[in-house]
Amino acid sequence: MVGWFAGHPAEPINGVAVSDLYPLAVGPPEKPWPLPPGAIHPESLRDQLAELRLHPSEVGPDAILPFVPQAAKVDQEKDKGLAIVAQLLAENCCIHNVATWILETQPWDLLAVYYNGIDHFSHGFMAYHPPRMDGLPEETFEIYKDVVAGTYRFHDMMLHTLLELAGPEATVILCSDHGFHSDHLRPRGIPDEPAGPAVQHREFGVICMKGPHLKQDERIYGATLLDITPTVLTLFGLPVGDDMDGRVLVQAFQETPPIERIPSWEQVPGECGMHPPDLRVDPESAQAVLNQFAALGYIAPTDDQKKAAASAVREAKYNLARVYMDKGQPQLALPLLEELTAEQPDQARFAQHLAQCYFGLRRVADAKRILEDLMSRPDTPAGPKRGAEGEPRPPAPTEALNRSAALANPERASNAAEAQQTPVAGPWANWLMGVIHFEEGKMEEALECLLQAEQSNPRLPELHLRIGQTYLRLRRNKEAERAFCKALDIDGDSAEAHMGLAVVSLRRQDDERAVEEALLAVSLKHFLPLGHFYLGVSLARLGHFHRAGLAFETAVTMAPSFLSAHRWLVMINNRPGGDPAKAAEHRRLISDVLQSRKGARNP
Amino acid sequence: MITVVSGLPRAGTSLMMQMLSAGGLTLLSDGQRAADANNPRGYFEWEPIKALPRNPACIAEAEGKVVKVISTLLLSLPAGFSYKVVFMERPLAEVVASQAAMLQKLGTQGAALPPRALEAALESHLKQVKAALRQRPEISVCWLEHHQVLLDPEAAAATVQKFLGVPLDLAAMSAQVDPALYRQRLPAKG
């Protein structure tokens, strides 16, 4: 395991583990550069691996010029761009050196390496990538416009080496945890909150696989990060845990692999490479000890460190609450969000999520109370830092980069901690109020709130989707179409917008266009039961009953209680040439779903 | 070799520094933190060590000397040196009471936790420090009870001498112990 995000201290695995603090240079080059304790496992490799590091001061002009051909024009007293390039290059070379050293000298059966270069270079320099963004001076654009392209070339070269060393028999999975906006969707500023730089991320990451038992030139649809572990376990012939949320990416295999299952790996006794229990730290308790020692005068954390430590505790709670919300467990998120909101009532993001949480718990009055309070606050900027004329400006290289890196390593935090003090309301309160009205069936009120949110920020594709859905419910198809098209203008990869256009087309009896839009939707996002459903409806209308049946079956596989899809399957299979047994099966499933819904209503 | 005196704040680390100085070892201390009502004989601290996580290389100055490194900073001792750590232990209830008294005199505010919760946090902190030290072969540790030092200073001095492997003036070391300064004492049991 090499360089894993938030992977310090290195875990005592049966192999080599190198933490993400390993490559970080501290101090000037003439000073010793000791490895932080816990950066290497096993400890016996410490000295050997310390030698493989590259200090940023060792990165010379020859290495910088492919990234910044006009480096000579940079006034390094004022502009730290070249230092950042050197630092990121050095860090990624450190990681690459260890990875290649392992491949060349150690017996290995799995090598997992995290290169942060593409992410960090992009946070620093994507704003300079062509075409030039509005507000960016021509001169600085010219200087840094090649950095991102150079980064990809650099990573391709490293990948080439890795593939050569791994050999043709190795199975290789290349994946990213997110993409990066490189086009007109690049944000014109970074919101003033700890996870602010994430607005630069594109939802879709990348996954590529190669190996002896894998298909070639086959597209994988709907893969998520959660699928990586089950897939790797299957590649090793190991069972997948029933408690794992992901699935095995079977469509990548030449032949469907046998998939063994166990209830949970958590219940399997034996060594699992985790730290001993005493080394696992509760951040809140650790923070209390730190505060106590500092107050007694025995340690001297800097203000930034104090803020970063307090922020780490707060953000951990916030992130946990968000995970509970994403998992559909608002009851577990509630105490965390109530605590955060009480602690920092000015933080609009805490209040927004609390409102969302109340809404998830059907406490609509509480949700509305919070949203009304948010909407009554003075109109604050939506977050991006602004230039002299008040216009949002593209982020400077250090801005997003520092704050992105601070998410992984609080030691690097410069302005991340203080950034959270800014109250940000933006369009979100109106947006959520609109969603609440929508769910309550009050479409006119929903539309009014959503259109107000649009006035605050017209560049949010998801907002236009919700506006489009509201128009659909109001049977205002023309406006719905316009809203979905707006969403696509902003983000051409919006599966939901294509799905919305499929619905509009179905209503207009334009079934061919509906097929086209629904196909686009499910190819962009495979796990989209409604998308498959509308594809089925449009195909059935065109008389393609077999293909329609497949689409409906996909929809019910993803959403087993999808009654309309089951009903279509009954109808299709009862047609001449259909499968009456299947029709009976879907009729039975409809009955089961209705029974269980009835049971839920009258427990 | 770097000799380190460590432990929780108010666990007897200043007393041990005093003893080692009397025993004949050279302390790395700058006297920036002067003696006060909390530590009438002084703290024997070296200011730069407080920023050890940011500047781990500073430890090189402690080569051949004794330096006080508070428990939480032990985790930041860089590799590449050999350390002998005399770690002072004291019942956590006493530590918490003594820290509270010190905070009151300093007029500062510590962790916003009730005493029992702070004890639990310190206990978990000590477990973490001990687990981390077990993984550092270059750091050897002598665990010494503050109570034992007060009850039998000669034996404690002898234990330290044996651990450090250097001749020390044991009589001078034990003469440093003044039970009158043992103020945050737990009530006797029974």
Side-chain angles (χ1 to χ4, degrees):
Chain A
M1 298 286 294
V2 181
W4 219 249
F5 186 79
H8 186 83
E11 288 182 310
I13 59 171
N14 179 18
V16 179
V18 176
S19 91
D20 56 338
L21 293 195
Y22 163 82
L24 300 190
V26 287
E30 66 277 9
K31 293 269 185 183
W33 181 20
L35 267 176
I40 306 286
H41 170 85
E43 190 64 30
S44 56
L45 292 176
R46 164 177 284 275
D47 292 343
Q48 204 171 353
L49 296 190
E51 284 300 308
L52 297 179
R53 291 175 305 163
L54 182 74
H55 194 279
S57 62
E58 297 175 83
V59 176
D62 287 352
I64 300 274
L65 284 170
F67 294 81
V68 191
Q70 301 186 36
K73 290 185 179 172
V74 176
D75 177 354
Q76 294 197 59
E77 288 295 314
K78 294 179 187 158
D79 180 348
K80 301 297 174 200
L82 296 185
I84 291 172
V85 171
Q87 176 201 326
L88 296 180
L89 267 175
E91 287 176 7
N92 282 275
C93 285
C94 294
I95 294 296
H96 188 61
N97 289 350
V98 175
T100 53
W101 178 85
I102 289 172
L103 287 171
E104 285 179 305
T105 67
Q106 302 291 299
W108 62 276
D109 51 11
L110 171 77
L111 173 66
V113 196
Y114 173 57
Y115 291 87
N116 67 19
I118 289 179
D119 182 63
H120 285 193
F121 270 111
S122 297
H123 278 298
F125 297 96
M126 190 59 89
Y128 303 87
H129 185 64
R132 182 167 70 89
M133 291 177 76
D134 291 343
L136 189 70
E138 180 77 36
E139 196 181 343
T140 43
F141 167 72
E142 284 298 326
I143 288 174
Y144 292 118
K145 65 182 166 58
D146 301 306
V147 175
V148 171
T151 300
Y152 276 88
R153 279 189 214 105
F154 174 51
H155 280 75
D156 273 349
M157 289 156 72
M158 291 193 288
L159 178 61
H160 172 77
T161 308
L162 289 179
L163 291 173
E164 291 232 310
L165 291 174
E169 289 305 307
T171 298
V172 180
I173 301 178
L174 182 152
C175 71
S176 66
D177 54 340
H178 56 76
F180 216 94
H181 292 301
S182 57
D183 49 18
H184 62 290
L185 290 178
R186 282 176 291 181
R188 292 170 51 76
I190 306 294
D192 272 355
E193 62 171 84
V199 297
Q200 296 180 292
H201 296 167
R202 184 172 176 268
E203 181 190 1
F204 296 107
V206 65
I207 178 164
C208 304
M209 299 170 68
K210 81 166 266 289
H213 305 293
L214 300 178
K215 290 178 188 167
Q216 290 185 6
D217 296 327
E218 184 83 7
R219 281 193 80 172
I220 302 174
Y221 291 102
T224 76
L225 280 184
L226 298 172
D227 303 334
I228 302 298
T229 301
T231 304
V232 171
L233 286 169
T234 301
L235 281 164
F236 278 96
L238 292 167
V240 175
D242 282 336
D243 57 350
M244 290 179 173
D245 291 326
R247 66 194 172 95
V248 179
L249 295 170
V250 286
Q251 68 266 48
F253 289 74
Q254 284 171 357
E255 286 174 25
T256 305
I259 301 172
E260 283 183 60
R261 305 198 77 90
I262 56 171
S264 173
W265 277 99
E266 305 295 326
Q267 293 158 11
V268 177
E271 277 301 310
C272 58
M274 287 173 71
H275 290 297
D278 289 347
L279 268 186
R280 294 176 219 154
V281 185
D282 164 27
E284 205 162 354
S285 160
Q287 176 62 23
V289 169
L290 189 74
N291 290 345
Q292 180 81 353
F293 290 4
L296 290 163
Y298 285 88
I299 54 173
T302 62
D303 284 349
D304 275 350
Q305 282 174 315
K306 284 185 216 164
K307 282 179 186 167
S311 162
V313 172
R314 200 163 41 236
E315 294 308 308
K317 286 182 188 169
Y318 177 57
N319 290 334
L320 181 59
R322 304 261 321 249
V323 170
Y324 284 141
M325 293 291 290
D326 283 350
K327 288 191 78 178
Q329 297 173 313
Q331 72 282 8
L332 297 178
L334 183 65
L336 294 165
L337 291 168
E338 283 184 331
E339 183 188 331
L340 290 166
T341 308
E343 200 181 294
Q344 295 205 307
D346 285 349
Q347 281 277 313
R349 62 195 175 116
F350 296 155
Q352 282 152 18
H353 283 96
L354 180 60
Q356 215 169 339
C357 185
Y358 281 138
F359 180 57
L361 291 165
R362 301 280 172 252
R363 290 171 59 175
V364 175
D366 286 323
K368 283 183 176 171
R369 175 176 49 77
I370 289 180
L371 292 175
E372 278 157 9
D373 170 56
L374 279 171
M375 288 189 284
S376 69
R377 293 183 189 182
D379 189 23
T380 48
K385 296 201 169 169
R386 286 165 192 259
E389 294 82 32
E391 283 298 306
R393 58 166 172 75
T398 49
E399 185 180 327
L401 181 64
N402 280 342
R403 291 173 50 196
S404 168
L407 296 179
N409 300 309
E411 289 87 342
R412 288 176 141 193
S414 58
N415 54 357
E418 69 193 52
Q420 335 172 39
Q421 303 306 323
T422 312
V424 178
W428 314 111
N430 268 311
W431 185 342
L432 185 53
M433 191 65 108
V435 172
I436 290 176
H437 287 313
F438 183 96
E439 297 296 330
E440 289 179 327
K442 299 173 184 166
M443 293 303 145
E444 296 292 351
E445 287 94 328
L447 191 60
E448 192 184 330
C449 290
L450 294 170
L451 292 177
Q452 274 182 21
E454 186 193 3
Q455 281 181 0
S456 292
N457 188 341
R459 299 284 302 163
L460 298 168
E462 292 84 2
L463 178 60
H464 292 289
L465 289 178
R466 183 59 83 162
I467 293 171
Q469 286 156 3
T470 311
Y471 278 128
L472 277 181
R473 291 280 286 272
L474 289 164
R475 316 295 294 182
R476 290 162 67 174
N477 294 333
K478 200 168 178 180
E479 284 111 324
E481 182 181 31
R482 199 181 306 134
F484 292 128
C485 287
K486 269 189 195 172
L488 283 172
D489 277 347
I490 303 168
D491 179 6
D493 289 337
S494 170
E496 288 78 5
H498 284 294
M499 192 171 76
L501 290 175
V503 178
V504 172
S505 304
L506 277 171
R507 287 189 180 170
R508 290 183 176 150
Q509 312 294 323
D510 186 352
D511 299 327
E512 285 186 6
R513 167 104 194 268
V515 169
E516 216 170 273
E517 294 292 348
L519 265 176
L520 276 169
V522 297
S523 65
L524 284 164
K525 189 184 272 187
H526 185 62
F527 196 90
L528 198 65
L530 263 177
H532 292 283
F533 174 77
Y534 291 125
L535 177 61
V537 173
S538 43
L539 286 167
R541 281 198 192 169
L542 289 167
H544 302 303
F545 295 107
H546 177 67
R547 286 174 63 200
L550 293 176
F552 289 127
E553 277 171 11
T554 308
V556 295
T557 305
M558 293 172 177
S561 54
F562 196 162
L563 283 177
S564 302
H566 284 298
R567 288 188 180 116
W568 270 98
L569 283 164
V570 171
M571 199 177 76
I572 286 175
N573 284 299
N574 273 336
R575 288 180 53 80
D579 183 342
K582 266 192 181 174
E585 173 64 11
H586 285 288
R587 204 175 292 117
R588 186 186 64 74
L589 288 169
I590 291 170
S591 165
D592 288 352
V593 172
L594 291 173
Q595 280 293 329
S596 75
R597 285 186 188 171
K598 199 174 164 189
R601 277 198 300 272
N602 307 305
Chain B
M1 173 68 61
I2 296 172
T3 303
V4 173
V5 172
S6 188
L8 294 173
R10 312 305 292 167
T13 48
S14 299
L15 171 63
M16 182 48 62
M17 289 294 283
Q18 215 176 302
M19 288 173 73
L20 290 173
S21 174
L25 297 185
T26 307
L27 305 190
L28 179 61
S29 162
D30 50 21
Q32 271 205 33
R33 195 177 196 184
D36 59 17
N38 293 305
N39 261 3
R41 294 186 177 179
Y43 286 85
F44 308 97
E45 287 174 1
W46 184 54
E47 203 62 21
I49 206 75
K50 295 181 182 175
L52 185 67
R54 297 195 293 282
N55 182 18
C58 75
I59 199 67
E61 289 192 48
E63 190 64 56
K65 296 176 188 161
V66 186
V67 63
K68 185 158 129 184
V69 179
I70 217 66
S71 55
T72 189
L73 296 177
L74 282 181
L75 306 176
S76 302
L77 285 175
F81 300 89
S82 290
Y83 303 94
K84 288 209 166 188
V85 177
V86 179
F87 197 102
M88 300 300 294
E89 298 194 282
R90 186 178 180 186
L92 290 175
E94 286 187 14
V95 168
V96 169
S98 180
Q99 289 183 355
M102 183 172 175
L103 287 171
Q104 199 173 12
K105 286 176 193 159
L106 290 171
T108 54
Q109 191 163 5
L113 291 178
R116 294 297 291 271
L118 183 56
E119 272 180 48
L122 290 174
E123 187 179 356
S124 143
H125 162 68
L126 281 178
K127 279 185 181 169
Q128 187 204 0
V129 170
K130 288 178 181 180
L133 289 176
R134 279 196 293 275
Q135 299 185 341
R136 301 284 301 273
E138 78 278 24
I139 302 180
S140 50
V141 188
C142 169
W143 307 96
L144 209 54
E145 290 281 347
H146 183 236
H147 282 192
Q148 285 303 317
V149 177
L150 297 175
L151 281 172
D152 191 349
E154 292 83 3
T159 302
V160 172
Q161 175 177 255
K162 189 175 173 197
F163 169 67
L164 296 179
V166 291
L168 296 171
D169 184 342
L170 300 184
M173 284 175 79
S174 50
Q176 301 303 311
V177 179
D178 176 4
L181 292 176
Y182 180 29
R183 291 168 292 200
Q184 300 298 333
R185 196 187 297 254
L186 282 179
K189 286 181 184 167

